Amino acid sequence: MASQGGSKTVIYAALAGNLLIAATKFVAAWFTGSSAMLSEGVHSLVDTGNGGLLLYGMHRAARPPDSSHPFGHGREIYFWSFVVALLVFALGAGVSFYEGVIHIMHPEEIKNPLVNFIVLGLSIVFEGSSWYVALREFRKTKGNLGYIEAVRKSKDPSVFTVLFEDSAALLGLVIALAGVAGAHLLRMPELDGAASIGISLVLAGTAIFLARETKGLLMGEPASPEIQARVLEIVQADPAVHKANGVLTVHIGPHQIVIGLSADFEDTLTTPEIEACVERIEARLREAVPEITGVFVKPQTSGEWRQRRDEILANG
C-alpha cells in the first residue's frame, strides 16, 4: 500500500524519536528507581531496534531476482516484520512483565518522581510526533477502509507495524504516568510495578496482532479483488481468447505479484498464434498493473479450470 519512500520516512522518524526517548528513560529510571520507567526504556530500545530491522528488511527486499530467488526477494520484508513482532513480545512484553513482578514482590519507593513526570511528558510529545507521521502516511493509503480492515488488506507491513508500535508506546506511556503518579500520591510503590505489568500486556497484545497479520503475508496472500478483476478483463479483451476462466494470484512482496491464468483459446488458433497471444497478454498486464512480476498462462477449458480450482481450494 505505502510507497517505499513513504515507509522509510515513517521508520526514520520512529527511529530518531525512539533512540532519544530510550536514552532519556534509562537515565530517569537510574535516578528514580522506577520500574515503569525502566520498562518504558526497554520498550523504546526494542522499538529502536525494530526500526533498524524493518529498514534492513526493506533493503534486502529491494534486491533484484537471482538464480536462487527468480521472483525477487520481496518476502524479506515480511520475514523481518514477523521477527519484529516476536521481539516486541519476547523482549518488550517479557522484560516489562518481569520488572513488574519483581517490583510488586519487592516494592521500592520512587525517588525524584518529578524527573519521571518530566520525562514521561516529553516522551508523550516525541512519541506523539512519530505516531502522527505514521498515521498520516497510513491515511494516504487506506482510502475509505477502516483502520483494522486496511491493515488486514495491506500488503506492506512496514507502515502499519510502526503505527501500531507507536500506538502501543503512547498507551504504555499513559499507563506508566498513571503508575508513577499513583505510587507517589498514594504512597503505594506496588502501583509502579503494576504499571509495568500493564505495559507488558499492551505490548503482548500488539505483538500477537502484528504476528498474525505478518504471518498471513509471509505464507502468501492473494492480490486485491480489484486487481484480479482487472487481470481477467484484460485477458478476456484479447480477440484470441474465447474465455478467461480464472486467475490465481499471490503477493511475494508489497509491490510484487505473481499470477497464474487459465484461458480457453479459440479452437482455430495455431501454436504460434497462441504464443503471440500470451506475449500480448503479458505485455498488457505489466503495463496495466506494474506490480505484476510473473505471469503464467495455462490453456484450459472452463470445465478443466473449475475442477482444478476446486482441488486447490479443497487442499488449501
Side-chain angles (χ1 to χ4, degrees), residues 50 78 81-82 84-86 88 151 157 159-166 168 203-217:
N50 288 345
Y78 296 158
S81 296
F82 189 73
V84 164
L86 295 181
V88 170
V151 169
V159 173
F160 72 71
T161 295
V162 175
L163 177 61
F164 273 79
E165 279 190 341
D166 286 349
L203 293 177
T206 302
I208 291 171
F209 180 80
L210 291 176
R212 180 177 179 274
E213 294 304 316
T214 52
K215 176 201 168 189
L217 293 170

Side-chain angles (χ1 to χ4, degrees), residues 9-26:
T9 299
V10 171
I11 296 173
Y12 282 132
L15 259 175
N18 285 326
L19 187 59
L20 292 174
I21 292 170
T24 306
K25 288 175 180 176
F26 280 127

Side-chain angles (χ1 to χ4, degrees), residues 1 131 134-136 138-140 142-154 160 163-164 209:
M1 290 172 63
W131 175 83
L135 179 65
R136 184 179 60 186
F138 190 68
R139 279 178 172 173
K140 291 179 183 178
K142 79 178 189 69
N144 296 324
L145 298 175
Y147 287 96
I148 300 300
E149 185 182 6
V151 169
R152 287 178 174 168
K153 291 187 175 182
S154 172
F160 72 71
L163 177 61
F164 273 79
F209 180 80

